[in-house]
Amino acid sequence: MTKLSTVYDAINTRLNSLYGSTHRKIYAPRNLEERVDTKTLARGYGWFFSGAQNNTGETLAKQASVTRTLTVVNTIVTRGTTLDTMIREASEKQLLEDQYLLIKDFEEDVTLGGEVADIRFLSDGGIVDLFGEREDYLLIESTCTVRYFENF
């Protein structure tokens, strides 16, 4: 088994632990606009490697340093209207709180229990309406980097 498989499992376990009791896991989070399972999107999370493998050129005892881009997706439903903005604002705030849990968790253990060299939050694209004009599901995608050493 490659180190990538170990890293994949560690990320999956960590996010399931972080969100599993309060959120539903999103299947195939890359194509959320095509999803019709709104129960999952009501308070969902998912993740995927979004960037190509990057060999940083570092080597250590016949291991190469590999960096991958990780995208973590959080969604929430909002029932606010243009006349009742407090509901939407509460949903936006909750989405940011969900993201904070992710950032805090990664910063408290940047090695995922020793499975990676480091994992770091980089940025997000802000809160967006998932279905455009419908404005009832919100989304935030957090971009992180994962660096680990792979045997070649």
Side-chain angles (χ1 to χ4, degrees):
M1 183 165 69
T2 64
K3 185 64 174 183
L4 173 61
S5 292
T6 304
V7 169
Y8 188 99
D9 292 342
I11 292 169
N12 202 43
T13 298
R14 180 61 61 91
L15 293 178
N16 288 343
S17 172
L18 190 62
Y19 294 124
S21 64
T22 56
H23 297 64
R24 291 183 184 215
K25 191 167 185 179
I26 301 168
Y27 174 76
R30 286 176 187 85
N31 302 313
L32 291 181
E33 296 80 13
E34 300 171 10
R35 298 199 48 83
V36 292
D37 179 11
T38 54
K39 287 182 183 177
T40 299
L41 298 178
R43 186 112 186 258
Y45 78 99
W47 69 277
F48 56 94
F49 285 120
S50 53
Q53 180 173 320
N54 173 27
N55 184 334
T56 63
E58 295 178 76
T59 57
L60 176 67
K62 297 185 181 183
Q63 294 181 325
S65 174
V66 178
T67 301
R68 290 189 176 268
T69 303
L70 168 71
T71 299
V72 179
V73 176
N74 291 95
T75 61
I76 196 164
V77 67
T78 182
R79 300 291 185 220
T81 66
T82 54
L83 299 176
D84 185 4
T85 59
M86 290 178 63
I87 294 172
R88 182 179 176 93
E89 290 168 355
S91 296
E92 289 178 354
K93 186 169 76 171
Q94 183 59 59
L95 203 54
L96 292 170
E97 292 289 340
D98 290 345
Q99 182 191 47
Y100 171 77
L101 288 175
L102 171 77
I103 297 168
K104 181 177 182 274
D105 188 76
F106 283 174
E107 288 299 319
E108 287 177 349
D109 181 11
V110 297
T111 67
L112 291 181
E115 297 300 339
V116 301
D118 60 49
I119 187 166
R120 299 285 181 177
F121 170 79
L122 289 179
S123 64
D124 66 63
I127 297 174
V128 297
D129 292 307
L130 181 55
F131 297 116
E133 293 182 16
R134 267 182 53 188
E135 297 182 352
D136 53 352
Y137 288 88
L138 303 175
L139 159 82
I140 193 166
E141 290 184 345
S142 302
T143 303
C144 307
T145 58
V146 180
R147 189 170 63 92
Y148 60 94
F149 289 92
E150 185 71 79
N151 292 317
F152 289 109

PDB file of all heavy atoms in Angstrom, residues 115-152:
ATOM      1  N   GLU A 115       0.649  10.822  10.214  1.00  0.00           N
ATOM      2  CA  GLU A 115       0.481  10.223   8.883  1.00  0.00           C
ATOM      3  C   GLU A 115       0.955  11.109   7.744  1.00  0.00           C
ATOM      4  O   GLU A 115       1.236  10.635   6.657  1.00  0.00           O
ATOM      5  CB  GLU A 115      -0.985   9.827   8.655  1.00  0.00           C
ATOM      6  CG  GLU A 115      -1.502   8.776   9.605  1.00  0.00           C
ATOM      7  CD  GLU A 115      -0.740   7.464   9.533  1.00  0.00           C
ATOM      8  OE1 GLU A 115      -0.078   7.183   8.510  1.00  0.00           O
ATOM      9  OE2 GLU A 115      -0.787   6.710  10.521  1.00  0.00           O
ATOM     10  N   VAL A 116       1.034  12.415   7.968  1.00  0.00           N
ATOM     11  CA  VAL A 116       1.484  13.337   6.923  1.00  0.00           C
ATOM     12  C   VAL A 116       2.579  14.232   7.498  1.00  0.00           C
ATOM     13  O   VAL A 116       2.696  14.372   8.716  1.00  0.00           O
ATOM     14  CB  VAL A 116       0.326  14.208   6.367  1.00  0.00           C
ATOM     15  CG1 VAL A 116      -0.768  13.352   5.775  1.00  0.00           C
ATOM     16  CG2 VAL A 116      -0.238  15.139   7.422  1.00  0.00           C
ATOM     17  N   ALA A 117       3.363  14.832   6.612  1.00  0.00           N
ATOM     18  CA  ALA A 117       4.373  15.789   7.069  1.00  0.00           C
ATOM     19  C   ALA A 117       3.676  17.037   7.592  1.00  0.00           C
ATOM     20  O   ALA A 117       4.030  17.563   8.638  1.00  0.00           O
ATOM     21  CB  ALA A 117       5.333  16.129   5.935  1.00  0.00           C
ATOM     22  N   ASP A 118       2.672  17.521   6.853  1.00  0.00           N
ATOM     23  CA  ASP A 118       1.821  18.598   7.358  1.00  0.00           C
ATOM     24  C   ASP A 118       0.593  18.761   6.469  1.00  0.00           C
ATOM     25  O   ASP A 118       0.586  18.397   5.306  1.00  0.00           O
ATOM     26  CB  ASP A 118       2.566  19.928   7.523  1.00  0.00           C
ATOM     27  CG  ASP A 118       3.158  20.468   6.242  1.00  0.00           C
ATOM     28  OD1 ASP A 118       2.445  20.522   5.227  1.00  0.00           O
ATOM     29  OD2 ASP A 118       4.333  20.857   6.266  1.00  0.00           O
ATOM     30  N   ILE A 119      -0.439  19.296   7.091  1.00  0.00           N
ATOM     31  CA  ILE A 119      -1.685  19.632   6.402  1.00  0.00           C
ATOM     32  C   ILE A 119      -2.057  21.032   6.855  1.00  0.00           C
ATOM     33  O   ILE A 119      -2.058  21.321   8.053  1.00  0.00           O
ATOM     34  CB  ILE A 119      -2.798  18.594   6.684  1.00  0.00           C
ATOM     35  CG1 ILE A 119      -4.026  18.860   5.836  1.00  0.00           C
ATOM     36  CG2 ILE A 119      -3.134  18.525   8.155  1.00  0.00           C
ATOM     37  CD1 ILE A 119      -5.018  17.700   5.816  1.00  0.00           C
ATOM     38  N   ARG A 120      -2.332  21.903   5.899  1.00  0.00           N
ATOM     39  CA  ARG A 120      -2.573  23.316   6.220  1.00  0.00           C
ATOM     40  C   ARG A 120      -3.740  23.874   5.425  1.00  0.00           C
ATOM     41  O   ARG A 120      -3.893  23.592   4.247  1.00  0.00           O
ATOM     42  CB  ARG A 120      -1.344  24.161   5.885  1.00  0.00           C
ATOM     43  CG  ARG A 120      -0.097  23.807   6.611  1.00  0.00           C
ATOM     44  CD  ARG A 120      -0.149  24.266   8.029  1.00  0.00           C
ATOM     45  NE  ARG A 120       1.113  23.924   8.696  1.00  0.00           N
ATOM     46  CZ  ARG A 120       1.391  24.250   9.913  1.00  0.00           C
ATOM     47  NH1 ARG A 120       0.536  24.929  10.624  1.00  0.00           N
ATOM     48  NH2 ARG A 120       2.524  23.900  10.454  1.00  0.00           N
ATOM     49  N   PHE A 121      -4.536  24.702   6.088  1.00  0.00           N
ATOM     50  CA  PHE A 121      -5.579  25.468   5.419  1.00  0.00           C
ATOM     51  C   PHE A 121      -4.907  26.595   4.646  1.00  0.00           C
ATOM     52  O   PHE A 121      -4.029  27.279   5.159  1.00  0.00           O
ATOM     53  CB  PHE A 121      -6.554  26.042   6.455  1.00  0.00           C
ATOM     54  CG  PHE A 121      -7.514  27.046   5.890  1.00  0.00           C
ATOM     55  CD1 PHE A 121      -8.615  26.643   5.177  1.00  0.00           C
ATOM     56  CD2 PHE A 121      -7.284  28.407   6.063  1.00  0.00           C
ATOM     57  CE1 PHE A 121      -9.503  27.571   4.644  1.00  0.00           C
ATOM     58  CE2 PHE A 121      -8.159  29.345   5.541  1.00  0.00           C
ATOM     59  CZ  PHE A 121      -9.264  28.923   4.830  1.00  0.00           C
ATOM     60  N   LEU A 122      -5.335  26.794   3.392  1.00  0.00           N
ATOM     61  CA  LEU A 122      -4.785  27.880   2.578  1.00  0.00           C
ATOM     62  C   LEU A 122      -5.785  29.006   2.370  1.00  0.00           C
ATOM     63  O   LEU A 122      -5.482  30.171   2.594  1.00  0.00           O
ATOM     64  CB  LEU A 122      -4.367  27.367   1.202  1.00  0.00           C
ATOM     65  CG  LEU A 122      -3.157  26.480   1.118  1.00  0.00           C
ATOM     66  CD1 LEU A 122      -2.914  26.059  -0.327  1.00  0.00           C
ATOM     67  CD2 LEU A 122      -1.940  27.189   1.669  1.00  0.00           C
ATOM     68  N   SER A 123      -6.992  28.651   1.888  1.00  0.00           N
ATOM     69  CA  SER A 123      -7.938  29.701   1.512  1.00  0.00           C
ATOM     70  C   SER A 123      -9.317  29.095   1.285  1.00  0.00           C
ATOM     71  O   SER A 123      -9.505  27.884   1.355  1.00  0.00           O
ATOM     72  CB  SER A 123      -7.481  30.388   0.223  1.00  0.00           C
ATOM     73  OG  SER A 123      -7.493  29.466  -0.850  1.00  0.00           O
ATOM     74  N   ASP A 124     -10.258  29.984   0.992  1.00  0.00           N
ATOM     75  CA  ASP A 124     -11.578  29.549   0.537  1.00  0.00           C
ATOM     76  C   ASP A 124     -12.071  30.559  -0.486  1.00  0.00           C
ATOM     77  O   ASP A 124     -11.509  31.639  -0.622  1.00  0.00           O
ATOM     78  CB  ASP A 124     -12.572  29.385   1.694  1.00  0.00           C
ATOM     79  CG  ASP A 124     -12.910  30.695   2.391  1.00  0.00           C
ATOM     80  OD1 ASP A 124     -13.480  31.597   1.721  1.00  0.00           O
ATOM     81  OD2 ASP A 124     -12.637  30.827   3.595  1.00  0.00           O
ATOM     82  N   GLY A 125     -13.113  30.186  -1.206  1.00  0.00           N
ATOM     83  CA  GLY A 125     -13.667  31.075  -2.221  1.00  0.00           C
ATOM     84  C   GLY A 125     -14.850  31.878  -1.720  1.00  0.00           C
ATOM     85  O   GLY A 125     -15.581  32.473  -2.514  1.00  0.00           O
ATOM     86  N   GLY A 126     -15.052  31.891  -0.415  1.00  0.00           N
ATOM     87  CA  GLY A 126     -16.183  32.599   0.159  1.00  0.00           C
ATOM     88  C   GLY A 126     -17.442  31.747   0.135  1.00  0.00           C
ATOM     89  O   GLY A 126     -17.476  30.659  -0.444  1.00  0.00           O
ATOM     90  N   ILE A 127     -18.477  32.228   0.755  1.00  0.00           N
ATOM     91  CA  ILE A 127     -19.766  31.539   0.777  1.00  0.00           C
ATOM     92  C   ILE A 127     -20.495  31.849  -0.521  1.00  0.00           C
ATOM     93  O   ILE A 127     -20.604  33.009  -0.908  1.00  0.00           O
ATOM     94  CB  ILE A 127     -20.605  31.974   1.993  1.00  0.00           C
ATOM     95  CG1 ILE A 127     -19.894  31.566   3.288  1.00  0.00           C
ATOM     96  CG2 ILE A 127     -22.006  31.390   1.918  1.00  0.00           C
ATOM     97  CD1 ILE A 127     -20.563  32.076   4.541  1.00  0.00           C
ATOM     98  N   VAL A 128     -20.979  30.814  -1.188  1.00  0.00           N
ATOM     99  CA  VAL A 128     -21.690  30.994  -2.447  1.00  0.00           C
ATOM    100  C   VAL A 128     -23.026  30.262  -2.403  1.00  0.00           C
ATOM    101  O   VAL A 128     -23.208  29.315  -1.642  1.00  0.00           O
ATOM    102  CB  VAL A 128     -20.856  30.510  -3.662  1.00  0.00           C
ATOM    103  CG1 VAL A 128     -19.584  31.322  -3.801  1.00  0.00           C
ATOM    104  CG2 VAL A 128     -20.537  29.043  -3.554  1.00  0.00           C
ATOM    105  N   ASP A 129     -23.951  30.708  -3.248  1.00  0.00           N
ATOM    106  CA  ASP A 129     -25.223  30.014  -3.417  1.00  0.00           C
ATOM    107  C   ASP A 129     -24.982  28.805  -4.298  1.00  0.00           C
ATOM    108  O   ASP A 129     -24.516  28.940  -5.434  1.00  0.00           O
ATOM    109  CB  ASP A 129     -26.263  30.942  -4.062  1.00  0.00           C
ATOM    110  CG  ASP A 129     -26.659  32.073  -3.150  1.00  0.00           C
ATOM    111  OD1 ASP A 129     -27.036  31.803  -2.002  1.00  0.00           O
ATOM    112  OD2 ASP A 129     -26.567  33.237  -3.582  1.00  0.00           O
ATOM    113  N   LEU A 130     -25.294  27.640  -3.791  1.00  0.00           N
ATOM    114  CA  LEU A 130     -24.998  26.408  -4.500  1.00  0.00           C
ATOM    115  C   LEU A 130     -25.775  26.287  -5.801  1.00  0.00           C
ATOM    116  O   LEU A 130     -25.236  25.869  -6.816  1.00  0.00           O
ATOM    117  CB  LEU A 130     -25.282  25.204  -3.588  1.00  0.00           C
ATOM    118  CG  LEU A 130     -25.013  23.831  -4.155  1.00  0.00           C
ATOM    119  CD1 LEU A 130     -23.595  23.705  -4.672  1.00  0.00           C
ATOM    120  CD2 LEU A 130     -25.272  22.774  -3.099  1.00  0.00           C
ATOM    121  N   PHE A 131     -27.035  26.644  -5.800  1.00  0.00           N
ATOM    122  CA  PHE A 131     -27.876  26.489  -6.980  1.00  0.00           C
ATOM    123  C   PHE A 131     -28.211  27.825  -7.628  1.00  0.00           C
ATOM    124  O   PHE A 131     -29.279  28.018  -8.169  1.00  0.00           O
ATOM    125  CB  PHE A 131     -29.157  25.737  -6.631  1.00  0.00           C
ATOM    126  CG  PHE A 131     -28.911  24.330  -6.163  1.00  0.00           C
ATOM    127  CD1 PHE A 131     -29.245  23.953  -4.876  1.00  0.00           C
ATOM    128  CD2 PHE A 131     -28.344  23.388  -7.005  1.00  0.00           C
ATOM    129  CE1 PHE A 131     -29.015  22.656  -4.445  1.00  0.00           C
ATOM    130  CE2 PHE A 131     -28.112  22.101  -6.582  1.00  0.00           C
ATOM    131  CZ  PHE A 131     -28.452  21.723  -5.300  1.00  0.00           C
ATOM    132  N   GLY A 132     -27.317  28.771  -7.529  1.00  0.00           N
ATOM    133  CA  GLY A 132     -27.510  30.049  -8.196  1.00  0.00           C
ATOM    134  C   GLY A 132     -28.680  30.835  -7.655  1.00  0.00           C
ATOM    135  O   GLY A 132     -28.718  31.194  -6.489  1.00  0.00           O
ATOM    136  N   GLU A 133     -29.676  31.053  -8.497  1.00  0.00           N
ATOM    137  CA  GLU A 133     -30.789  31.930  -8.145  1.00  0.00           C
ATOM    138  C   GLU A 133     -31.713  31.369  -7.073  1.00  0.00           C
ATOM    139  O   GLU A 133     -32.484  32.110  -6.479  1.00  0.00           O
ATOM    140  CB  GLU A 133     -31.583  32.268  -9.408  1.00  0.00           C
ATOM    141  CG  GLU A 133     -30.781  33.120 -10.374  1.00  0.00           C
ATOM    142  CD  GLU A 133     -31.576  33.491 -11.598  1.00  0.00           C
ATOM    143  OE1 GLU A 133     -32.818  33.356 -11.588  1.00  0.00           O
ATOM    144  OE2 GLU A 133     -30.949  33.927 -12.577  1.00  0.00           O
ATOM    145  N   ARG A 134     -31.664  30.061  -6.827  1.00  0.00           N
ATOM    146  CA  ARG A 134     -32.541  29.484  -5.800  1.00  0.00           C
ATOM    147  C   ARG A 134     -32.220  30.002  -4.409  1.00  0.00           C
ATOM    148  O   ARG A 134     -33.098  30.154  -3.580  1.00  0.00           O
ATOM    149  CB  ARG A 134     -32.435  27.959  -5.798  1.00  0.00           C
ATOM    150  CG  ARG A 134     -33.461  27.319  -6.667  1.00  0.00           C
ATOM    151  CD  ARG A 134     -33.402  25.820  -6.650  1.00  0.00           C
ATOM    152  NE  ARG A 134     -33.448  25.221  -5.334  1.00  0.00           N
ATOM    153  CZ  ARG A 134     -33.257  23.929  -5.129  1.00  0.00           C
ATOM    154  NH1 ARG A 134     -33.003  23.124  -6.132  1.00  0.00           N
ATOM    155  NH2 ARG A 134     -33.312  23.427  -3.921  1.00  0.00           N
ATOM    156  N   GLU A 135     -30.955  30.230  -4.126  1.00  0.00           N
ATOM    157  CA  GLU A 135     -30.488  30.837  -2.887  1.00  0.00           C
ATOM    158  C   GLU A 135     -30.923  30.122  -1.614  1.00  0.00           C
ATOM    159  O   GLU A 135     -31.049  30.735  -0.565  1.00  0.00           O
ATOM    160  CB  GLU A 135     -30.917  32.310  -2.815  1.00  0.00           C
ATOM    161  CG  GLU A 135     -30.324  33.166  -3.900  1.00  0.00           C
ATOM    162  CD  GLU A 135     -30.716  34.615  -3.776  1.00  0.00           C
ATOM    163  OE1 GLU A 135     -31.572  34.963  -2.950  1.00  0.00           O
ATOM    164  OE2 GLU A 135     -30.150  35.420  -4.537  1.00  0.00           O
ATOM    165  N   ASP A 136     -31.167  28.803  -1.677  1.00  0.00           N
ATOM    166  CA  ASP A 136     -31.562  28.118  -0.449  1.00  0.00           C
ATOM    167  C   ASP A 136     -30.512  27.135   0.061  1.00  0.00           C
ATOM    168  O   ASP A 136     -30.671  26.585   1.141  1.00  0.00           O
ATOM    169  CB  ASP A 136     -32.920  27.425  -0.608  1.00  0.00           C
ATOM    170  CG  ASP A 136     -32.977  26.504  -1.809  1.00  0.00           C
ATOM    171  OD1 ASP A 136     -32.046  26.497  -2.614  1.00  0.00           O
ATOM    172  OD2 ASP A 136     -33.980  25.784  -1.934  1.00  0.00           O
ATOM    173  N   TYR A 137     -29.445  26.921  -0.680  1.00  0.00           N
ATOM    174  CA  TYR A 137     -28.335  26.090  -0.214  1.00  0.00           C
ATOM    175  C   TYR A 137     -27.041  26.869  -0.377  1.00  0.00           C
ATOM    176  O   TYR A 137     -26.776  27.427  -1.435  1.00  0.00           O
ATOM    177  CB  TYR A 137     -28.253  24.766  -0.998  1.00  0.00           C
ATOM    178  CG  TYR A 137     -29.366  23.846  -0.635  1.00  0.00           C
ATOM    179  CD1 TYR A 137     -30.581  23.899  -1.303  1.00  0.00           C
ATOM    180  CD2 TYR A 137     -29.238  22.933   0.411  1.00  0.00           C
ATOM    181  CE1 TYR A 137     -31.636  23.073  -0.948  1.00  0.00           C
ATOM    182  CE2 TYR A 137     -30.279  22.105   0.765  1.00  0.00           C
ATOM    183  CZ  TYR A 137     -31.472  22.178   0.085  1.00  0.00           C
ATOM    184  OH  TYR A 137     -32.514  21.358   0.446  1.00  0.00           O
ATOM    185  N   LEU A 138     -26.262  26.900   0.687  1.00  0.00           N
ATOM    186  CA  LEU A 138     -25.007  27.634   0.684  1.00  0.00           C
ATOM    187  C   LEU A 138     -23.839  26.653   0.722  1.00  0.00           C
ATOM    188  O   LEU A 138     -23.954  25.553   1.261  1.00  0.00           O
ATOM    189  CB  LEU A 138     -24.931  28.568   1.892  1.00  0.00           C
ATOM    190  CG  LEU A 138     -26.057  29.586   2.021  1.00  0.00           C
ATOM    191  CD1 LEU A 138     -25.908  30.368   3.331  1.00  0.00           C
ATOM    192  CD2 LEU A 138     -26.077  30.521   0.838  1.00  0.00           C
ATOM    193  N   LEU A 139     -22.725  27.104   0.192  1.00  0.00           N
ATOM    194  CA  LEU A 139     -21.541  26.260   0.060  1.00  0.00           C
ATOM    195  C   LEU A 139     -20.297  27.070   0.363  1.00  0.00           C
ATOM    196  O   LEU A 139     -20.217  28.252   0.016  1.00  0.00           O
ATOM    197  CB  LEU A 139     -21.464  25.747  -1.387  1.00  0.00           C
ATOM    198  CG  LEU A 139     -20.125  25.267  -1.930  1.00  0.00           C
ATOM    199  CD1 LEU A 139     -19.890  23.836  -1.477  1.00  0.00           C
ATOM    200  CD2 LEU A 139     -20.125  25.334  -3.440  1.00  0.00           C
ATOM    201  N   ILE A 140     -19.335  26.418   1.023  1.00  0.00           N
ATOM    202  CA  ILE A 140     -17.993  26.990   1.145  1.00  0.00           C
ATOM    203  C   ILE A 140     -17.004  25.858   0.883  1.00  0.00           C
ATOM    204  O   ILE A 140     -17.176  24.744   1.379  1.00  0.00           O
ATOM    205  CB  ILE A 140     -17.756  27.660   2.514  1.00  0.00           C
ATOM    206  CG1 ILE A 140     -16.480  28.502   2.475  1.00  0.00           C
ATOM    207  CG2 ILE A 140     -17.736  26.655   3.643  1.00  0.00           C
ATOM    208  CD1 ILE A 140     -16.331  29.464   3.637  1.00  0.00           C
ATOM    209  N   GLU A 141     -16.010  26.138   0.040  1.00  0.00           N
ATOM    210  CA  GLU A 141     -14.962  25.178  -0.256  1.00  0.00           C
ATOM    211  C   GLU A 141     -13.660  25.678   0.359  1.00  0.00           C
ATOM    212  O   GLU A 141     -13.214  26.787   0.047  1.00  0.00           O
ATOM    213  CB  GLU A 141     -14.770  25.000  -1.763  1.00  0.00           C
ATOM    214  CG  GLU A 141     -15.917  24.293  -2.432  1.00  0.00           C
ATOM    215  CD  GLU A 141     -15.678  24.041  -3.907  1.00  0.00           C
ATOM    216  OE1 GLU A 141     -14.756  24.656  -4.503  1.00  0.00           O
ATOM    217  OE2 GLU A 141     -16.418  23.225  -4.466  1.00  0.00           O
ATOM    218  N   SER A 142     -13.081  24.871   1.222  1.00  0.00           N
ATOM    219  CA  SER A 142     -11.817  25.204   1.866  1.00  0.00           C
ATOM    220  C   SER A 142     -10.686  24.494   1.136  1.00  0.00           C
ATOM    221  O   SER A 142     -10.752  23.283   0.919  1.00  0.00           O
ATOM    222  CB  SER A 142     -11.835  24.758   3.330  1.00  0.00           C
ATOM    223  OG  SER A 142     -12.906  25.371   4.018  1.00  0.00           O
ATOM    224  N   THR A 143      -9.676  25.243   0.759  1.00  0.00           N
ATOM    225  CA  THR A 143      -8.521  24.670   0.070  1.00  0.00           C
ATOM    226  C   THR A 143      -7.393  24.494   1.078  1.00  0.00           C
ATOM    227  O   THR A 143      -7.044  25.420   1.812  1.00  0.00           O
ATOM    228  CB  THR A 143      -8.068  25.603  -1.069  1.00  0.00           C
ATOM    229  OG1 THR A 143      -9.167  25.813  -1.953  1.00  0.00           O
ATOM    230  CG2 THR A 143      -6.901  24.998  -1.831  1.00  0.00           C
ATOM    231  N   CYS A 144      -6.849  23.292   1.092  1.00  0.00           N
ATOM    232  CA  CYS A 144      -5.760  22.943   2.008  1.00  0.00           C
ATOM    233  C   CYS A 144      -4.638  22.283   1.213  1.00  0.00           C
ATOM    234  O   CYS A 144      -4.849  21.815   0.092  1.00  0.00           O
ATOM    235  CB  CYS A 144      -6.251  21.959   3.074  1.00  0.00           C
ATOM    236  SG  CYS A 144      -7.723  22.497   3.974  1.00  0.00           S
ATOM    237  N   THR A 145      -3.459  22.254   1.790  1.00  0.00           N
ATOM    238  CA  THR A 145      -2.369  21.479   1.199  1.00  0.00           C
ATOM    239  C   THR A 145      -2.030  20.335   2.137  1.00  0.00           C
ATOM    240  O   THR A 145      -2.092  20.477   3.365  1.00  0.00           O
ATOM    241  CB  THR A 145      -1.095  22.309   0.962  1.00  0.00           C
ATOM    242  OG1 THR A 145      -0.661  22.865   2.190  1.00  0.00           O
ATOM    243  CG2 THR A 145      -1.330  23.398  -0.061  1.00  0.00           C
ATOM    244  N   VAL A 146      -1.673  19.217   1.525  1.00  0.00           N
ATOM    245  CA  VAL A 146      -1.255  18.031   2.268  1.00  0.00           C
ATOM    246  C   VAL A 146       0.117  17.639   1.730  1.00  0.00           C
ATOM    247  O   VAL A 146       0.280  17.446   0.527  1.00  0.00           O
ATOM    248  CB  VAL A 146      -2.236  16.860   2.058  1.00  0.00           C
ATOM    249  CG1 VAL A 146      -1.789  15.642   2.845  1.00  0.00           C
ATOM    250  CG2 VAL A 146      -3.647  17.262   2.419  1.00  0.00           C
ATOM    251  N   ARG A 147       1.085  17.557   2.615  1.00  0.00           N
ATOM    252  CA  ARG A 147       2.429  17.145   2.205  1.00  0.00           C
ATOM    253  C   ARG A 147       2.790  15.877   2.956  1.00  0.00           C
ATOM    254  O   ARG A 147       2.586  15.771   4.161  1.00  0.00           O
ATOM    255  CB  ARG A 147       3.447  18.239   2.507  1.00  0.00           C
ATOM    256  CG  ARG A 147       4.825  17.977   1.908  1.00  0.00           C
ATOM    257  CD  ARG A 147       5.723  19.201   2.037  1.00  0.00           C
ATOM    258  NE  ARG A 147       5.979  19.550   3.426  1.00  0.00           N
ATOM    259  CZ  ARG A 147       7.026  19.111   4.134  1.00  0.00           C
ATOM    260  NH1 ARG A 147       7.911  18.318   3.599  1.00  0.00           N
ATOM    261  NH2 ARG A 147       7.162  19.502   5.382  1.00  0.00           N
ATOM    262  N   TYR A 148       3.303  14.920   2.217  1.00  0.00           N
ATOM    263  CA  TYR A 148       3.697  13.638   2.805  1.00  0.00           C
ATOM    264  C   TYR A 148       4.888  13.087   2.030  1.00  0.00           C
ATOM    265  O   TYR A 148       5.251  13.593   0.971  1.00  0.00           O
ATOM    266  CB  TYR A 148       2.531  12.649   2.799  1.00  0.00           C
ATOM    267  CG  TYR A 148       1.990  12.327   1.424  1.00  0.00           C
ATOM    268  CD1 TYR A 148       2.456  11.216   0.726  1.00  0.00           C
ATOM    269  CD2 TYR A 148       1.030  13.130   0.828  1.00  0.00           C
ATOM    270  CE1 TYR A 148       1.962  10.923  -0.536  1.00  0.00           C
ATOM    271  CE2 TYR A 148       0.540  12.849  -0.425  1.00  0.00           C
ATOM    272  CZ  TYR A 148       1.010  11.739  -1.108  1.00  0.00           C
ATOM    273  OH  TYR A 148       0.539  11.463  -2.360  1.00  0.00           O
ATOM    274  N   PHE A 149       5.514  12.058   2.567  1.00  0.00           N
ATOM    275  CA  PHE A 149       6.668  11.428   1.932  1.00  0.00           C
ATOM    276  C   PHE A 149       6.262  10.060   1.395  1.00  0.00           C
ATOM    277  O   PHE A 149       5.704   9.236   2.119  1.00  0.00           O
ATOM    278  CB  PHE A 149       7.830  11.298   2.912  1.00  0.00           C
ATOM    279  CG  PHE A 149       8.462  12.617   3.239  1.00  0.00           C
ATOM    280  CD1 PHE A 149       8.033  13.359   4.323  1.00  0.00           C
ATOM    281  CD2 PHE A 149       9.460  13.120   2.433  1.00  0.00           C
ATOM    282  CE1 PHE A 149       8.608  14.590   4.612  1.00  0.00           C
ATOM    283  CE2 PHE A 149      10.040  14.350   2.707  1.00  0.00           C
ATOM    284  CZ  PHE A 149       9.622  15.090   3.797  1.00  0.00           C
ATOM    285  N   GLU A 150       6.532   9.863   0.117  1.00  0.00           N
ATOM    286  CA  GLU A 150       6.164   8.621  -0.574  1.00  0.00           C
ATOM    287  C   GLU A 150       7.430   7.858  -0.948  1.00  0.00           C
ATOM    288  O   GLU A 150       8.408   8.450  -1.395  1.00  0.00           O
ATOM    289  CB  GLU A 150       5.362   8.964  -1.837  1.00  0.00           C
ATOM    290  CG  GLU A 150       4.824   7.771  -2.586  1.00  0.00           C
ATOM    291  CD  GLU A 150       3.697   7.085  -1.846  1.00  0.00           C
ATOM    292  OE1 GLU A 150       2.557   7.582  -1.890  1.00  0.00           O
ATOM    293  OE2 GLU A 150       3.956   6.039  -1.221  1.00  0.00           O
ATOM    294  N   ASN A 151       7.407   6.546  -0.755  1.00  0.00           N
ATOM    295  CA  ASN A 151       8.521   5.693  -1.190  1.00  0.00           C
ATOM    296  C   ASN A 151       8.437   5.496  -2.684  1.00  0.00           C
ATOM    297  O   ASN A 151       7.380   5.205  -3.217  1.00  0.00           O
ATOM    298  CB  ASN A 151       8.449   4.327  -0.509  1.00  0.00           C
ATOM    299  CG  ASN A 151       8.724   4.410   0.976  1.00  0.00           C
ATOM    300  OD1 ASN A 151       9.628   5.099   1.399  1.00  0.00           O
ATOM    301  ND2 ASN A 151       7.935   3.703   1.757  1.00  0.00           N
ATOM    302  N   PHE A 152       9.576   5.695  -3.345  1.00  0.00           N
ATOM    303  CA  PHE A 152       9.616   5.468  -4.800  1.00  0.00           C
ATOM    304  C   PHE A 152      10.665   4.439  -5.127  1.00  0.00           C
ATOM    305  O   PHE A 152      11.600   4.230  -4.463  1.00  0.00           O
ATOM    306  CB  PHE A 152       9.907   6.771  -5.559  1.00  0.00           C
ATOM    307  CG  PHE A 152       8.750   7.718  -5.520  1.00  0.00           C
ATOM    308  CD1 PHE A 152       8.803   8.871  -4.772  1.00  0.00           C
ATOM    309  CD2 PHE A 152       7.582   7.453  -6.233  1.00  0.00           C
ATOM    310  CE1 PHE A 152       7.747   9.752  -4.728  1.00  0.00           C
ATOM    311  CE2 PHE A 152       6.515   8.327  -6.202  1.00  0.00           C
ATOM    312  CZ  PHE A 152       6.595   9.484  -5.458  1.00  0.00           C
TER     313      PHE A 152
END
